[in-house]
Amino acid sequence: MTDAKAAQRLLTGQAWDDFCETVRLTGHEIERWGDVPDDLDRAEWYRHLSRLLRNGLERFVENSEPAHPRLRDTPFRCSINAQTPDQDHLLSEWYEPGHSYRVWGNRGTLPYFVMAAWKANQDRTVGARDWADKGADSVKEFDPAMLYTTDFLQSDAIRFDAEGNFEVICSPEKPADGRDWLKIGDDTVGLLIRLVHKDRDAEVPATFHIERLDQPRQRPVRPEELATNLARAAQMVRGYAELERSWWFDNLATRANQLQFSRTVYLSNGGVADRHHAFGMWEKPKDMALVFHFATPPAEYWIFQLLNIFQENLDTYEHKGGYINGMMARHEADGTVRVVIAEENPGIGGNWIDSFGHVHGTMSLRFIKCAEPPQVASYLVPLADLKKQGWDMLTDDIAIRSGQLVA
């Protein structure tokens, strides 16, 4: 009965109307931000929604065929929740649970990757229902943006032959023949492979493939599937829009210019436990500079990112702007790192990030394969004074201390 109702809603256009209306109403959610957004934020909001919609359609309409799994990278410029520019995200979304898969390929010279299985509250009955008129409260029941990692497998634990070839079985039970294994279950809705690069231009690209072990014959789309996947795509737009708003008001904005390493927050968004990831909110007038100072403990990789209030990379990231990573960072004599966020380079050393017309936003500091993250000090000072006095003006009495590791 549920499939029949979903099919009817698609064929009569009701599912399409609900899809369009959900996206339309989500656009007006910017009003729930009150007086926080300025004109630049509002312009980025509507562009952000278009990117979320593009991402949702790619993931759920194009890349969720039950008989034809794929591993597809996230669409161009569709960064969600501080996606690092040095990391690719290969996604395979599953409309039908209960199947087993084989992932294989060649790592090239990719230094590190991690495979993760995740679950989310997005079952196959959602195509039989209307979601638009439920508003943001609907994400309490149906939220494709809220993802939980159920198991993960690091490349360190995968066996590669002399040419770099590998194979991993994704199934409920461990393979009897001893092949590398990632556990999935009936609640698994997809697979995410994070590819961590150090120098893309110098690397031999990795290749990844996926297939269902029962190798079903590809078949035409069914109307109930499309009704469900349109609902998933629209509700993903709503889910991320609400997540970003709630993070800002319920968490980040209460700790201005601070970073907090929280496993709970990160893992609730599909993260994996191979890293420490801090989120924070930054705020400064255009004539001020915001300086962060921290040590860099041993890690496979680290990055500090500056983001807008919707957790998007700034427009400069394609030209290596808006972030500092371990390969490009300038270190102080004691091995620590200073990051200066300002509208212009104060010219005193350290690592400058152009705030690019923004007066506030979110930020991220992550360390992959790191035993313990560092403490962080931040300083909000007049840019003109920083240019004249240099680091000497960053005294302990004006430091904001953060970098706590919480559950």
Side-chain angles (χ1 to χ4, degrees):
M1 290 295 294
T2 300
D3 281 352
K5 185 176 181 180
Q8 181 186 35
R9 292 182 69 254
L10 188 282
L11 297 174
T12 60
Q14 187 177 357
W16 178 258
D17 288 347
D18 190 60
F19 164 80
C20 294
E21 185 68 359
T22 298
V23 174
R24 186 187 74 82
L25 291 174
T26 302
H28 294 282
E29 291 292 304
I30 189 65
E31 302 308 326
R32 298 180 67 206
W33 287 72
D35 60 0
V36 170
D38 59 19
D39 288 349
L40 177 56
D41 296 322
R42 284 179 173 269
E44 292 185 334
W45 164 258
Y46 293 110
R47 183 182 62 180
H48 179 51
L49 291 184
S50 75
R51 291 171 170 176
L52 288 175
L53 181 57
R54 184 155 51 101
N55 200 340
L57 290 172
E58 177 75 14
R59 287 175 58 180
F60 298 122
V61 175
E62 300 296 342
N63 194 27
S64 189
E65 296 180 34
H68 191 175
R70 301 177 182 87
L71 284 166
R72 296 287 299 274
D73 199 2
T74 51
F76 172 66
R77 298 186 85 182
C78 290
S79 64
I80 295 174
N81 302 132
Q83 180 175 324
T84 165
D86 297 318
Q87 187 169 276
D88 293 327
H89 292 70
L90 302 183
L91 285 161
S92 187
E93 309 279 350
W94 299 333
Y95 174 80
E96 290 180 350
H99 298 288
S100 296
Y101 301 82
R102 181 175 78 101
V103 176
W104 78 100
N106 186 286
R107 75 180 303 169
T109 57
L110 181 69
Y112 176 74
F113 66 89
V114 57
M115 300 173 57
W118 60 23
K119 65 178 181 179
N121 186 17
Q122 43 176 287
D123 61 44
R124 290 189 296 156
T125 68
V126 297
R129 301 171 58 186
D130 288 321
W131 296 98
D133 60 353
K134 298 181 184 299
D137 285 342
S138 65
V139 299
K140 298 175 183 177
E141 180 181 358
F142 171 33
D143 186 0
M146 191 61 69
L147 301 161
Y148 298 92
T149 296
T150 57
D151 195 20
F152 67 95
L153 180 66
Q154 298 169 279
S155 56
D156 299 6
I158 295 175
R159 289 167 294 184
F160 300 89
D161 68 16
E163 285 75 40
N165 299 307
F166 70 94
E167 178 185 59
V168 175
I169 300 300
C170 306
S171 62
E173 302 296 332
K174 189 173 184 178
D177 58 10
R179 284 183 289 180
D180 290 329
W181 177 54
L182 176 67
K183 184 176 183 179
I184 63 173
D186 289 341
D187 58 353
T188 302
V189 298
L191 177 71
L192 171 63
I193 306 178
R194 292 175 170 88
L195 283 60
V196 182
H197 303 276
K198 288 188 176 178
D199 186 350
R200 289 178 183 269
D201 295 336
E203 291 172 9
V204 176
T207 57
F208 291 83
H209 310 277
I210 188 170
E211 66 178 1
R212 255 172 57 177
L213 289 183
D214 59 346
Q215 297 185 334
R217 181 178 178 182
Q218 192 174 2
R219 58 171 172 76
V221 65
R222 294 173 180 168
E224 64 270 18
E225 293 170 356
L226 187 54
T228 294
N229 288 335
L230 284 172
R232 293 164 81 190
Q235 195 70 356
M236 194 199 90
V237 177
R238 174 177 278 168
Y240 277 111
E242 177 60 14
L243 181 149
E244 292 147 5
R245 189 202 64 81
S246 63
W247 274 30
W248 182 271
F249 287 101
D250 300 339
N251 185 351
L252 303 182
T254 65
R255 298 178 285 106
N257 299 328
Q258 299 176 55
L259 287 155
Q260 185 181 83
F261 293 92
S262 172
R263 280 296 173 91
T264 299
V265 170
Y266 178 54
L267 295 179
S268 71
N269 193 36
V272 290
D274 68 335
R275 62 198 66 191
H276 291 292
H277 196 160
F279 292 95
M281 170 271 211
W282 65 274
E283 185 172 36
K284 68 162 196 65
K286 289 186 179 180
D287 62 349
M288 301 287 280
L290 180 60
V291 182
F292 287 90
H293 189 199
F294 53 88
T296 55
E300 174 76 23
Y301 168 89
W302 70 265
I303 185 170
F304 177 94
Q305 290 173 257
L306 201 66
L307 309 148
N308 64 16
I309 63 175
F310 312 118
Q311 302 178 32
E312 285 188 311
N313 295 316
L314 300 188
D315 290 352
T316 57
Y317 85 100
E318 291 175 73
H319 302 285
K320 298 188 181 301
Y323 66 97
I324 298 294
N325 61 31
M327 288 72 72
M328 58 197 292
R330 296 173 57 181
H331 289 75
E332 303 300 312
D334 62 359
T336 59
V337 168
R338 286 192 175 99
V339 178
V340 181
I341 299 167
E343 283 294 294
E344 62 178 274
N345 191 341
I348 59 173
N351 302 273
W352 172 58
I353 295 181
D354 187 352
S355 44
F356 207 58
H358 297 73
V359 296
H360 54 198
T362 56
M363 56 186 172
S364 160
L365 176 62
R366 86 189 75 191
F367 294 86
I368 296 178
K369 293 172 61 178
C370 166
E372 185 174 346
Q375 296 294 298
V376 180
S378 60
Y379 309 83
L380 182 63
V381 296
L383 176 58
D385 292 348
L386 184 64
K387 293 169 70 173
K388 293 178 181 178
Q389 301 178 39
W391 306 131
D392 290 341
M393 72 174 303
L394 306 182
T395 54
D396 288 344
D397 60 305
I398 63 170
I400 301 172
R401 304 290 178 180
S402 65
Q404 303 89 345
L405 178 59
V406 300

